[in-house]
């Protein structure tokens, strides 16, 4: 170590005189040595920390190069100026060592750090090379992924080739459909074709079948759905108008599954927590229904019949669908009010109203069908309800029985086609038609107007009407509410339900009142409950906006329009004598007679249009029974033919 230090210091003392004694020839040869030195430095780039030393040590390099150019005999000076002590033994042939080391770009003072510098530089070069290779590999992988994604997208859109396009999207020909109709339905074939058509209709511009229009695809989809799931053409067409193809498949599949069993805690006798503990001990697996209900429980499975437990018989809970909670929650009855339930059987909603009112006030539970009165009264007794009066009237006659403007709130869960509860009653798939929907819609309009007439608009706490159905048809829901808005001085208000889809403000060619967005729709594939519709009305005034003739028509809405037109013609005829300056006694008698006839209306029986509904009221049940018998016969004949 002492020798190396002495050798490193020696050239520093000799450097100045060597520079002063440089000859012209040495100066001439100096650029060549400098160029070689630069080449050596370019071949080996030391780290930044070593660059300062190189700058300081340029003088010894120049000295050694000058001495070498003059062929000095004193080799120790060259070794002391450039080489380290480790290479001292090889300094005898200093000229050869000088050339090799000089080309390698190594020096006396840099000999020891040169190894580390070489390792560092080699490591950095290798690291840079590895990073470049890795980046190139990543770029190649990304490019390959993009190519695969593009190929998959092309395959999905059926743009990869014409053969695949034709095989996937070719609609069946008329001959193939005839062959399919001859034999039993091929369910796998129908299922695959339904999926492909739904997929094509979801993105028709890209996935359009060759040589087929949207209408043809829609018609084929309706036919396949009807044959695969057992619907009639009318109901499939109605659902197809309500939902897009993808959502249509979801709701149809939801109709094939049963909804979860739910129960409602009777708060008149117990609390939900206590009831849940008791049922869990009996082997019932249950959970709270949802955040929006404080009394509901959903039952997954049970080791005992859930409808025959001691708690059920004691009236601690009621078997009730989750959708049946919604109308009562929207009604929100208060204590000491007068409430009417127009269609009360079997009593689930009535008992819920009584529980919310804490058995105060008065409830009129009306049911038109006598056989259903038994279940209604039984449930009222079992649940411990004491503020309810059960009555048996036609809902349209309740304003005459109870009186107009006599109650605070009315709940109308109107009879409907049941298109929202197909999972409970599969006969709806084939038993409903357009005539049934029209008949139900007209009955619902009459019941809703009667319910509005019973409510007192000046009530301090009430004045509300809740209308609900278990149907998905627009004609039974939004159209009925829009009709009531035109005929009575009522307004739609918020239902108080935080979930559910808004009602339709427009549907195909129909345009409804903008406030119908405050109504709520519930679907089985979205909310996991039966299809339901809920609307809440606030009565603003007790004045009627239309004549009674429009409200009393029974058979069809068109007949009501005809009767109103006849009344207008009679009013025009009656207004003619008033224009005469003088009236005789005979004219006065005739005018009074006509006015009496108008007031009496149907009692006089002079209008043939008004007589027909009365005659047909008694025949409704017979016609319905006959229609059902005909349908049963047709079903039996079809079953015999299949056998």
């Amino acid at each position: 170590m002492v020798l190396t230090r002495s050798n490193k210091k020696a050239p520093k003392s000799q450097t100045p005189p060597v520079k002063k004694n440089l000859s012209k020839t040495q100066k001439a040869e100096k650029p060549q040595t400098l160029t070689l030195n630069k080449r050596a430095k370019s071949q080996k780039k030391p780290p930044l920390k070593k660059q300062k030393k190189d700058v300081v040590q340029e003088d010894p390099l120049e000295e050694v190069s000058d001495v070498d150019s003059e062929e000095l005999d004193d080799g120790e000076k060259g070794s002391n100026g450039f080489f380290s002590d480790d290479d001292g033994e090889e300094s005898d042939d200093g000229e050869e060592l000088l050339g090799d080391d000089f080309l390698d770009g190594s020096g006396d003072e840099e000999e020891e750090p040169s190894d580390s510098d070489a390792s560092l530089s080699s490591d950095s070069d290798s690291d840079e090379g590895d990073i470049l290779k890795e980046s190139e590999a990543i770029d190649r992988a990304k490019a390959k992924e993009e190519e695969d994604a593009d190929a998959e997208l092309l395959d999905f859109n059926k743009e990869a080739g014409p053969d695949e396009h034709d095989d996937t999207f070719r609609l069946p020909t008329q001959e193939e459909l005839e062959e399919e109709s001859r034999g039993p339905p091929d369910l796998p074939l129908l299922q695959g074709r339904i999926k492909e058509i739904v997929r094509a209709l979801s993105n028709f511009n890209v996935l359009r079948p060759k040589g087929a229009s949207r209408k043809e695809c829609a018609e084929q989809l309706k036919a396949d759905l009807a044959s695969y799931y057992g619907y009639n053409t009318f109901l499939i067409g109605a659902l197809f108008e309500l939902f897009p193809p993808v959502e249509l498949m979801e709701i149809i599949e939801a109709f094939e599954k049963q909804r979860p069993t739910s129960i409602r805690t009777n708060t008149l006798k117990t609390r939900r927590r206590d009831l849940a503990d008791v049922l869990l001990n009996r082997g019932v697996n249950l959970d709270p229904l949802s955040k929006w209900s404080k009394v509901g429980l959903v039952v997954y499975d049970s080791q005992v019949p859930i409808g025959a437990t001691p708690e059920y018989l004691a009236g601690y809970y009621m078997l009730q669908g989750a959708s049946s909670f919604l109308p009562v929650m929207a009604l929100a009855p208060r204590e000491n009010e007068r409430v009417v339930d127009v269609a009360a059987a079997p009593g689930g909603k009535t008992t819920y109203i009584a529980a919310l009112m804490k058995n105060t006030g008065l409830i009129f539970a009306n049911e038109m069908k006598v056989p259903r009165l038994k279940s209604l009264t039984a449930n009222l007794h079992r649940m411990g309800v004491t503020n309810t009066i059960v009555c048996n009237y036609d809902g349209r006659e309740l304003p005459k029985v109870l009186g107009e403007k006599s109650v605070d709130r009315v709940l109308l869960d109107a009879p409907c086609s049941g298109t929202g509860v197909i999972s409970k009653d599969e006969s709806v798939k084939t038993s409903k038609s357009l005539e049934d929907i029209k008949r139900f819609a007209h009955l619902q309009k009459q019941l809703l107007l009667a319910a509005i007439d019973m409510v007192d608009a000046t009530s301090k706490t009430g004045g509300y009407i809740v209308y609900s159905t278990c149907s998905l048809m627009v004609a039974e829901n939004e159209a009925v509410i829009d009709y009531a808005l035109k005929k009575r001085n009522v307004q739609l208000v918020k239902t108080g339900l935080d979930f559910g889809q808004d009602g339709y403000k427009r549907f195909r060619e129909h345009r409804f009142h903008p406030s119908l967005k405050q109504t709520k729709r519930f679907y089985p594939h979205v909310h996991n409950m039966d299809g339901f519709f809920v609307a809440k009305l606030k009565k603003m005034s007790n004045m009627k906006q239309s004549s009674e003739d429009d409200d009393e028509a029974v058979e069809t809405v068109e007949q009501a329009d005809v009767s109103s037109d006849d009344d207008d013609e009679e009013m025009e005829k009656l207004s003619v004598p008033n224009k005469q300056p003088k009236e005789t006694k005979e004219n006065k008698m005739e005018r009074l007679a006509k006015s009496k006839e108008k007031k009496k209306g149907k009692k006089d029986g002079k209008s043939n249009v008004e007589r027909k509904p009365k005659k047909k009221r008694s025949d409704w049940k017979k016609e319905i029974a006959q229609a059902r018998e005909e349908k049963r016969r047709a079903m039996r004949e079809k079953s015999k033919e299949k056998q």
Side-chain angles (χ1 to χ4, degrees):
M1 295 300 290
V2 176
L3 291 174
T4 57
R5 293 177 67 181
S6 62
N7 290 333
K8 289 179 182 178
K9 291 180 180 180
K12 290 183 181 179
S13 60
Q14 296 175 0
T15 301
V18 174
K19 284 186 177 181
K20 291 180 181 180
N21 295 327
L22 290 175
S23 63
K24 294 181 180 179
T25 58
Q26 291 173 349
K27 291 181 180 178
E29 294 176 357
K30 189 174 182 179
Q32 296 178 357
T33 59
L34 291 175
T35 55
L36 293 173
N37 191 12
K38 289 181 181 179
R39 290 177 184 176
K41 288 183 179 181
S42 63
Q43 292 177 358
K44 179 180 178 181
K45 295 181 180 180
L48 294 175
K49 293 182 179 180
K50 299 296 181 179
Q51 288 179 359
K52 294 182 179 180
K53 292 182 179 181
D54 296 338
V55 174
V56 177
Q57 295 171 1
E58 285 179 2
D59 294 337
L61 292 174
E62 292 176 358
E63 179 185 358
V64 174
S65 62
D66 294 338
V67 174
D68 185 31
S69 63
E70 293 175 356
E71 297 179 357
L72 297 174
D73 295 334
D74 192 359
E76 294 179 0
K77 292 183 179 179
S79 61
N80 294 331
F82 192 81
F83 298 104
S84 62
D85 294 339
D86 295 335
D87 297 336
E89 296 177 357
E90 299 177 1
S91 62
D92 295 337
D93 48 352
E95 186 177 359
E96 183 178 357
L97 292 172
L98 180 64
D100 295 336
D101 294 340
F102 187 80
L103 291 175
D104 292 336
S106 60
D108 235 346
E109 297 180 0
E110 296 177 353
E111 186 64 26
E112 291 180 0
S114 64
D115 296 336
S116 61
D117 294 342
S119 62
L120 290 172
S121 63
S122 62
D123 293 340
S124 63
D125 293 339
S126 62
D127 292 341
E128 290 178 358
D130 294 339
I131 292 171
L132 291 174
K133 290 179 181 179
E134 290 178 359
S135 63
E136 291 176 358
I138 292 171
D139 293 338
R140 287 194 299 270
K142 287 183 178 179
K144 187 176 180 181
E145 288 179 359
E146 291 178 358
E147 292 177 359
D148 295 340
D150 294 338
E152 186 177 357
L153 181 62
L154 291 174
D155 187 17
F156 177 78
N157 294 334
K158 299 303 178 183
E159 295 178 356
D163 297 335
E164 295 180 1
H165 185 82
D166 294 340
D167 294 340
T168 306
F169 291 96
R170 186 177 62 83
L171 292 177
T173 61
Q174 191 65 28
E175 296 178 355
E176 293 176 352
L177 292 176
E178 290 178 357
E179 292 180 359
E180 291 180 6
S181 61
R182 292 172 186 172
D186 188 357
L187 297 182
L189 177 63
L190 289 175
Q191 187 178 12
R193 191 161 62 198
I194 288 170
K195 290 182 179 179
E196 293 298 334
I197 296 175
V198 169
R199 181 181 171 189
L201 291 175
S202 62
N203 191 5
F204 195 73
N205 293 330
V206 178
L207 306 177
R208 180 176 182 173
K210 186 176 181 180
S213 62
R214 183 184 290 272
K215 184 177 180 180
E216 293 175 351
C217 293
E219 294 297 330
Q220 186 61 44
L221 178 61
K222 293 177 186 178
D224 292 342
L225 288 174
S227 59
Y228 187 82
Y229 292 99
Y231 288 83
N232 58 13
T233 55
F234 162 74
L235 191 55
I236 280 293
L239 293 175
F240 194 83
E241 292 176 355
L242 282 171
F243 304 101
V246 177
E247 192 173 1
L248 176 64
M249 290 301 303
E250 292 178 359
I251 192 169
I252 288 177
E253 290 291 341
F255 282 145
E256 299 300 315
K257 302 176 183 178
Q258 293 293 329
R259 303 275 74 76
T261 303
S262 59
I263 61 177
R264 179 182 57 82
T265 307
N266 184 14
T267 55
L268 295 175
K269 293 187 175 183
T270 185
R271 296 184 302 174
R272 184 172 68 171
R273 182 185 301 175
D274 299 336
L275 177 63
D277 293 339
V278 173
L279 293 179
L280 286 172
N281 293 332
R282 293 192 181 277
V284 180
N285 186 12
L286 50 81
D287 277 328
L289 180 60
S290 183
K291 294 181 180 179
W292 52 266
S293 177
K294 297 181 180 179
V295 295
L297 292 169
V298 59
V299 178
Y300 300 111
D301 55 15
S302 176
Q303 298 179 1
V304 295
I306 196 65
T309 61
E311 289 75 23
Y312 176 81
L313 299 176
Y316 286 175
Y317 64 89
M318 179 84 175
L319 282 172
Q320 190 172 358
S323 57
S324 298
F325 292 31
L326 305 176
V328 182
M329 294 175 63
L331 185 64
R334 297 185 181 180
E335 297 180 12
N336 299 315
E337 284 187 341
R338 292 166 61 91
V339 181
V340 176
D341 190 356
V342 179
K349 300 179 182 65
T350 306
T351 54
Y352 194 7
I353 294 172
L356 293 176
M357 295 174 64
K358 298 180 181 179
N359 260 341
T360 62
L362 184 60
I363 301 174
F364 295 97
N366 179 70
E367 177 56 42
M368 186 181 69
K369 297 180 180 179
V370 176
R372 303 188 70 182
L373 291 174
K374 294 181 180 180
S375 61
L376 174 60
T377 54
N379 284 322
L380 289 173
H381 286 298
R382 183 176 60 85
M383 301 292 283
V385 177
T386 59
N387 65 340
T388 301
I389 298 174
V390 179
C391 52
N392 180 23
Y393 290 101
D394 187 346
R396 294 167 290 186
E397 304 296 331
L398 282 178
K400 299 178 182 179
V401 177
L402 302 178
E404 296 182 357
K405 302 173 287 185
S406 60
V407 298
D408 299 311
R409 299 173 194 257
V410 175
L411 173 62
L412 174 59
D413 186 20
C416 62
S417 59
T419 53
V421 291
I422 296 177
S423 58
K424 293 181 179 179
D425 185 10
E426 293 188 355
S427 64
V428 178
K429 294 181 179 180
T430 56
S431 61
K432 302 304 175 185
S433 62
L434 180 60
E435 289 74 15
D436 296 331
I437 303 299
K438 289 181 178 179
R439 181 168 55 84
F440 279 117
H442 189 67
L443 176 61
Q444 291 158 358
K445 291 176 182 178
Q446 289 180 302
L447 291 172
L448 182 56
L449 294 181
I452 294 171
D453 292 339
M454 283 189 289
V455 174
D456 184 10
T458 61
S459 174
K460 295 180 180 180
T461 59
Y464 295 100
I465 305 98
V466 170
Y467 174 82
S468 64
T469 64
C470 55
S471 174
L472 302 179
M473 301 293 105
V474 176
E476 299 181 72
N477 298 327
E478 285 86 354
V480 176
I481 298 297
D482 188 68
Y483 176 82
L485 293 174
K486 295 176 181 177
K487 296 299 180 182
R488 294 290 185 272
N489 191 3
V490 293
Q491 292 182 359
L492 278 168
V493 295
K494 293 183 179 180
T495 58
L497 303 173
D498 298 333
F499 65 105
Q501 297 184 5
D502 296 338
Y504 293 107
K505 294 187 292 184
R506 59 178 64 188
F507 179 73
R508 299 178 69 84
E509 70 275 9
H510 303 286
R511 299 293 180 269
F512 303 122
H513 196 274
S515 62
L516 277 165
K517 66 180 180 180
Q518 295 184 357
T519 61
K520 292 294 183 181
R521 280 177 164 264
F522 303 92
Y523 298 116
H525 66 290
V526 178
H527 307 100
N528 198 19
M529 61 176 65
D530 294 328
F532 227 75
F533 175 82
V534 179
K536 188 174 183 179
L537 297 166
K538 168 69 174 176
K539 189 172 182 180
M540 307 306 296
S541 174
N542 292 325
M543 298 296 294
K544 295 182 180 180
Q545 295 182 358
S546 63
S547 62
E548 295 181 357
D549 295 335
D550 293 335
D551 304 336
E552 293 179 355
V554 175
E555 194 60 34
T556 58
V557 179
E558 289 78 9
Q559 290 181 354
D561 296 336
V562 171
S563 63
S564 62
D565 295 338
D566 294 340
D567 294 338
D568 295 337
E569 292 177 1
E570 291 179 4
M571 291 297 293
E572 290 177 0
K573 292 179 181 179
L574 291 172
S575 63
V576 174
N578 294 331
K579 294 180 181 179
Q580 297 178 359
K582 295 181 180 180
E583 289 184 354
T584 60
K585 293 181 179 180
E586 295 178 356
N587 292 335
K588 288 181 180 180
M589 295 296 294
E590 291 177 0
R591 184 170 59 82
L592 292 172
K594 289 180 180 179
S595 62
K596 290 180 180 179
E597 291 173 0
K598 181 189 172 183
K599 291 179 180 178
K600 291 180 180 179
K602 294 181 180 181
K603 293 182 180 179
D604 295 339
K606 291 183 179 181
S607 177
N608 294 328
V609 178
E610 295 176 355
R611 284 182 184 179
K612 290 180 181 179
K614 283 190 174 181
K615 292 180 180 179
K616 291 185 178 180
R617 285 182 186 177
S618 59
D619 298 335
W620 279 359
K621 294 182 180 179
K622 294 181 181 179
E623 292 178 359
I624 293 171
Q626 291 177 359
R628 289 178 178 174
E629 290 179 0
E630 291 177 359
K631 290 180 181 178
R632 290 173 183 172
R633 291 175 184 174
M635 294 295 291
R636 291 172 184 172
E637 291 177 358
K638 289 181 181 179
S639 62
K640 289 180 181 179
E641 291 177 359
K642 291 180 180 180
Q643 292 177 357

